[in-house]
Amino acid sequence: MDSTIQAFFAPCPRGLEAVLAEELTDLGAADIKATAGGVAFRGTLALCYRINLQSRIASRILLRIAEGAYRDEHDVYDAAKAIRWQDWFTPQQRIKVKVSAHRCPLTSLDFVTLRVKDAVCDRFQYARGKRPSVDTHTPDILIAVYLDSTTCTFYLDTSGEPLFKRGWRKSAGEAPVRENLAAGILRLSKWTPDTVLYDPMCGSGTFVVEAALMARRIAPGIGRRFAFEKLLSYDHQTLTDLRVELQAAEIPARPGLIHAADHSAQAVTSIKANLALAGLTETVTLQQGDVLQLPAPAEAGLLVTNPPYGHRMGEVEALQSFYPQFGDHLKKHFCGWTVQIFTADMKLPGLLSLAPSRRVPLFNGAIECRLFEFRMVAGSLRKPRPHDSSPPAR
Ligand SMILES: C[S@@+](CC[C@H](N)C(=O)[O-])C[C@H]1O[C@@H](n2cnc3c(N)ncnc32)[C@H](O)[C@@H]1O
């Protein structure tokens, strides 16, 4: 396997850059630099395979193959045509070019996309006498181009389907959180598998499935395919050895560690299907019920959840009465627990009458959200509500 050190960029949901940088360090990456929306790093192609299989937080892994200064579309064309694409793939493979930009002075990114595609095809025509064809739905090779105000950078995607597609999600349920966002939230919460974890409004079960994969040391990408398998540099033996190593490192689950609940029968059916597909039925204790009626599953632990968020009038009103009750329930029954609530509702701490010990800005796609942390210590967190004279929780 080629041991040349390459440069990579791993995009991730905004707000998770620091925890992704930590994860990449753990996996052996070097020269790590977190920027808005992702983390740049260096390593070998073998490390790239490992990170594709093991990263829980990256959305994909891009291999940087060139960069250059530009002022107009001609410069981008020239920079793309100078690249030895034939070292990476063949003209028989179908390509897709995807351009993204930040503070780019050019007027049409579609035109830039077309010019890069022309440059790649022209280079192949010159080098191999044949042009690759374009397939925007199921390409073999995805060429990602990033333009800032002065520099164009060319990447080859090594992941294919985004890495948050682990393969376990059979049924989506209501507004699921992306898998890598859930894994990042668990890392931000500093959860480790010696602490009980509970999601009482679990929906399709994203938090508990990600936690169960972590607890059992299952590599999230162990069962899937990757775009690097289509590159000329692909080394099958390296991938096989890595899969064997990672499978040997899996461990059984500790019973009673991870708990999930939801009041919706449909959600419980959906999470059952997802757990079965992920081989995690034994790892997660699941029940159907209203969060306000269910007891804490242990003396202490981490409650992590993404409660319903109302968009329509009736829903908003129902939640206005639900949240204060949920806050009271936490105060009465979850002393000793840390509670992490992921929500797009910035007013949530007020509605719960709880003071957060931490608030982390995160993005769920384009939606700005917060991860609110509450440390449930008897009596100490109370923000008294008007007309509320009940004694503090013990
Ligand atoms: C935004 S969804 C959670 C999505 C989940 N994080 C996922 O990734 O699939 C909110 C969930 O809370 C559940 N829920 C709402 N009110 C509840 C209650 N009072 N008790 C239990 N579950 C409730 C809903 O059925 C829904 O599945």
Side-chain angles (χ1 to χ4, degrees):
M1 175 93 192
D2 181 359
S3 59
T4 309
I5 300 296
Q6 306 279 358
F8 298 93
F9 185 74
C12 66
R14 275 163 65 201
L16 293 182
E17 297 87 348
V19 280
L20 173 58
E22 277 173 23
E23 183 189 59
L24 293 173
T25 307
D26 293 350
L27 292 173
D31 295 337
I32 290 172
K33 198 169 152 237
T35 55
V39 178
F41 64 95
R42 284 181 193 274
T44 60
L45 286 174
L47 179 77
C48 163
Y49 295 8
R50 177 178 293 284
I51 292 173
N52 268 292
L53 278 145
Q54 288 190 269
S55 175
R56 301 182 193 278
I57 302 173
S59 300
R60 57 176 66 252
I61 308 298
L62 301 170
L63 166 64
R64 196 178 84 196
I65 49 170
E67 69 178 5
Y70 79 97
R71 260 173 305 178
D72 56 25
E73 294 84 352
H74 303 295
D75 294 336
V76 180
Y77 173 92
D78 289 343
K81 198 168 170 212
I83 296 168
R84 290 180 55 88
W85 299 102
Q86 68 274 20
D87 290 351
W88 292 104
F89 60 95
T90 72
Q92 283 71 34
Q93 290 174 295
R94 293 158 300 135
I95 63 166
K96 175 178 175 177
V97 176
K98 192 166 177 287
V99 177
S100 55
H102 183 62
R103 302 214 175 105
C104 164
L106 306 183
T107 44
S108 166
L109 293 189
D110 284 345
F111 185 57
V112 177
T113 307
L114 193 69
R115 292 307 285 147
V116 173
K117 188 270 294 173
D118 288 345
V120 178
C121 290
D122 292 349
R123 178 79 198 211
F124 268 108
Q125 184 66 47
Y126 165 76
R128 296 280 183 271
K130 183 167 168 45
R131 306 168 77 80
S133 55
V134 171
D135 181 339
T136 52
H137 294 292
T138 52
D140 298 310
I141 305 291
L142 174 67
I143 297 165
V145 185
Y146 178 72
L147 304 172
D148 66 15
S149 55
T150 55
T151 309
C152 52
T153 310
F154 298 88
Y155 298 95
L156 284 172
D157 173 42
T158 69
S159 303
E161 286 260 69
L163 296 178
F164 57 77
K165 296 205 174 171
R166 321 284 206 218
W168 59 258
R169 194 186 285 288
K170 194 170 187 176
S171 173
E174 179 196 329
V177 173
R178 280 201 176 148
E179 291 78 348
N180 58 339
L181 182 53
I185 286 172
L186 291 171
R187 188 149 185 151
L188 278 170
S189 310
K190 304 216 179 310
W191 180 73
T192 52
D194 44 16
T195 303
V196 169
L197 184 120
Y198 178 39
D199 182 352
M201 291 178 272
C202 70
S204 61
T206 319
F207 285 118
V208 290
V209 170
E210 288 301 312
L213 293 174
M214 285 163 77
R216 296 198 43 201
R217 299 194 193 150
I218 298 173
I222 196 78
R224 49 163 280 166
R225 309 297 302 262
F226 299 97
F228 63 69
E229 296 174 51
K230 299 212 169 137
L231 297 176
L232 288 171
S233 56
Y234 176 53
D235 186 274
H236 183 65
Q237 194 57 48
T238 300
L239 180 61
T240 307
D241 293 349
L242 193 52
R243 280 193 206 279
V244 170
E245 176 205 312
L246 294 175
Q247 265 154 351
E250 291 177 9
I251 56 171
R254 174 155 78 80
L257 179 70
I258 302 174
H259 301 259
D262 201 288
H263 69 171
S264 142
Q266 205 186 335
V268 171
T269 308
S270 133
I271 184 182
K272 265 192 192 148
N274 288 336
L275 288 171
L277 201 64
L280 296 171
T281 306
E282 310 295 313
T283 312
V284 178
T285 310
L286 176 65
Q287 57 181 326
Q288 188 187 341
D290 189 321
V291 58
L292 302 177
Q293 309 298 326
L294 295 171
E299 288 263 301
L302 174 73
L303 186 156
V304 59
T305 200
N306 160 225
Y309 180 65
H311 296 287
R312 289 183 289 270
M313 270 305 274
E315 287 172 352
V316 175
E317 276 161 25
L319 290 175
Q320 298 262 321
S321 72
F322 167 73
Y323 283 136
Q325 293 179 64
F326 183 41
D328 286 347
H329 183 71
L330 292 174
K331 286 169 216 159
K332 279 195 194 120
H333 303 289
F334 284 83
C335 280
W337 283 67
T338 299
V339 174
Q340 299 278 357
I341 300 188
F342 177 65
T343 179
D345 187 346
M346 306 297 165
K347 296 198 203 85
L348 193 106
L351 291 166
L352 295 171
S353 289
L354 285 170
S357 44
R358 190 165 72 138
R359 42 184 99 213
V360 183
L362 288 172
F363 279 79
N364 188 7
I367 306 168
E368 186 173 356
C369 298
R370 288 286 180 281
L371 179 66
F372 291 112
E373 178 190 80
F374 305 96
R375 291 192 176 275
M376 304 307 298
V377 182
S380 67
L381 282 168
R382 217 126 189 207
K383 278 212 300 191
R385 225 178 276 136
H387 314 302
D388 183 354
S389 57
S390 57
R394 298 216 174 266

